[in-house]
Amino acid sequence: MPPIVWQRTDYGKIMRGDLLGVGKSVVVALLGIAVFIAAGMGIALLVTTIMKALGVDPAPLF
């Protein structure tokens, strides 16, 4: 029988893979937050425009 050969664990490779995965997750989360903020600002601008068109000044409501 041939001898059992154990492969060495490359902890550097494991760390690089984990950090790359975390980096991708952070980028996706930041992009998602940016999209939600942009959507909220767009909706606020649309509502303000509609209120101005109807003759209602939204400034005193704040």
Side-chain angles (χ1 to χ4, degrees):
M1 284 192 126
I4 297 174
V5 178
W6 299 99
Q7 292 183 345
R8 290 186 53 98
T9 303
D10 186 5
Y11 292 111
K13 184 177 179 182
I14 293 170
M15 278 293 256
R16 284 189 298 274
D18 288 346
L19 289 175
L20 184 63
V22 168
K24 286 180 183 178
S25 298
V26 168
V27 168
V28 168
L30 288 176
L31 285 175
I33 290 169
V35 166
F36 282 128
I37 290 172
M41 291 175 69
I43 290 169
L45 183 62
L46 179 66
V47 169
T48 304
T49 304
I50 292 171
M51 289 178 73
K52 284 251 186 195
L54 295 175
V56 178
D57 186 19
L61 299 175
F62 289 103

